[in-house]
C-alpha cells in the first residue's frame, strides 16, 4: 500500500501486558531467539538487548564461555543475565506494562555508547512506516538503541510484520537482519529483502 493508506486490520490498537505477550506465539519466539544467536559478536564483544518477550528469550541462551558486555533496558533480561555476563542496566523509570526502563537517562546513556550488535524488538513493522511501538517513551529508547549499534538485528514473530503502531522509532533501512518465523508472507519477505534486509526464518 502506498500514500499512507493502511487497512484497519493492520493498525495495532492498545498495548498488551508482558504476561499476555509472553504466551503469545511462544514456540515461534523460542526458535527466533535461538536463531538470533548466530549474530552474537565474538569474544569480548558487546550487545544491547531491547525490552520484549522475544529478546528476553535470548538472554538465557547467551553462551557462558563467551565474554560479552550486555547492555539492556529490560528488567527481565537484567535478571536473567545477572552473574553470567558483564551487565549494564540502563537507568530511568520502569514501565510496569513492559518492564522496560525509559526516560532521558536511558536515552542519554545509549547516545554515548557504541555496541557491536543490537537485538531489537518491535510491536509492528512495515516498509512504509518502519518499526513502531505504542509508547512515546519506549520509542525514544528504542530509537537510541538502534542508533548505537553497528549491526541491528530485529527479532519479531511474523504477526508483527505488515502492522503499524503509533510511534515510529526506526525506518526499515536501519535494520540489517530480521529474524522471524516461517509463517512470514513470502511477498513481505521479498519486499523486505529488496530494502537490503537479511531475512532469517526460524
Amino acid at each position: 500500500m502506498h500514500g499512507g493508506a493502511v487497512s484497519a486490520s493492520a493498525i495495532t490498537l492498545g498495548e498488551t501486558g508482558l504476561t499476555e505477550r509472553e504466551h503469545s506465539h511462544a514456540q515461534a519466539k523460542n526458535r527466533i531467539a535461538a536463531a538470533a544467536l548466530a549474530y552474537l559478536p565474538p569474544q569480548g564483544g558487546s550487545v544491547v538487548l531491547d525490552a520484549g518477550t522475544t529478546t528476553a528469550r535470548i538472554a538465557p541462551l547467551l553462551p557462558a564461555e563467551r565474554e560479552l558486555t550486555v547492555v539492556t533496558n529490560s528488567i527481565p533480561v537484567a535478571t536473567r543475565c545477572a552473574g553470567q555476563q558483564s551487565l549494564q542496566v540502563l537507568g530511568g523509570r520502569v514501565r510496569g506494562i513492559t518492564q522496560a526502563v525509559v526516560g532521558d537517562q536511558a536515552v542519554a546513556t545509549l547516545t554515548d555508547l557504541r555496541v557491536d550488535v543490537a537485538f531489537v524488538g518491535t510491536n509492528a513493522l512495515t516498509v512504509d512506516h518502519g518499526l513502531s511501538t505504542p509508547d512515546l517513551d519506549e520509542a525514544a529508547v528504542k530509537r537510541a538503541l538502534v542508533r548505537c549499534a553497528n549491526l541491528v538485528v530485529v527479532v519479531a514473530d511474523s504477526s508483527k510484520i505488515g502492522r503499524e503502531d503509533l510511534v515510529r522509532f526506526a525506518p526499515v533501512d536501519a535494520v540489517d537482519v530480521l529474524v522471524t518465523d516461517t509463517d512470514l508472507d513470502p511477498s513481505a519477505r521479498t519486499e523486505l529483502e529488496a530494502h537490503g534486509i537479511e531475512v532469517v526464518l526460524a
Side-chain angles (χ1 to χ4, degrees):
M1 280 178 258
H2 300 283
V6 178
S7 68
S9 63
I11 299 173
T12 302
L13 299 175
E15 185 176 11
T16 55
L18 198 66
T19 302
E20 182 180 343
R21 289 189 293 118
E22 180 67 37
H23 298 292
S24 174
H25 306 282
Q27 293 305 312
K29 291 176 179 180
N30 290 338
R31 297 195 306 271
I32 291 166
L37 294 179
Y39 296 92
L40 286 175
Q43 179 81 2
S46 57
V47 301
V48 57
L49 286 174
D50 188 15
T53 55
T54 307
T55 49
R57 284 167 160 81
I58 297 173
L61 302 178
L62 294 175
E65 70 278 2
R66 189 179 311 184
E67 183 181 338
L68 294 172
T69 297
V70 177
V71 180
T72 189
N73 69 320
S74 165
I75 299 305
V77 168
T79 300
R80 292 171 189 178
C81 289
Q84 296 181 0
Q85 304 287 341
S86 174
L87 176 65
Q88 178 174 341
V89 182
L90 299 178
R93 175 177 65 87
V94 178
R95 289 191 74 224
I97 192 168
T98 60
Q99 295 182 36
V101 178
V102 298
D104 292 344
Q105 184 180 350
V107 171
T109 300
L110 288 167
T111 302
D112 290 336
L113 296 182
R114 174 63 68 187
V115 299
D116 294 310
V117 184
F119 293 99
V120 184
T122 187
N123 295 73
L125 190 162
T126 64
V127 166
D128 289 339
H129 191 53
L131 283 68
S132 53
T133 192
D135 183 74
L136 282 165
D137 289 337
E138 284 211 35
V141 174
K142 287 177 178 288
R143 189 174 297 118
L145 189 150
V146 168
R147 289 175 177 169
C148 80
N150 290 323
L151 182 74
V152 176
V153 179
V154 173
V155 290
D157 68 76
S158 59
S159 71
K160 311 288 181 63
I161 314 304
R163 303 187 68 81
E164 296 182 351
D165 223 318
L166 182 65
V167 189
R168 181 171 87 155
F169 62 87
V172 290
D173 294 343
V175 179
D176 297 299
V177 182
L178 168 66
V179 186
T180 188
D181 60 75
T182 53
D183 289 335
L184 179 68
D185 187 288
S187 63
R189 178 178 186 174
T190 299
E191 187 178 30
L192 291 165
E193 289 178 336
H195 280 261
I197 299 172
E198 178 185 351
V199 179
V200 177
L201 303 183

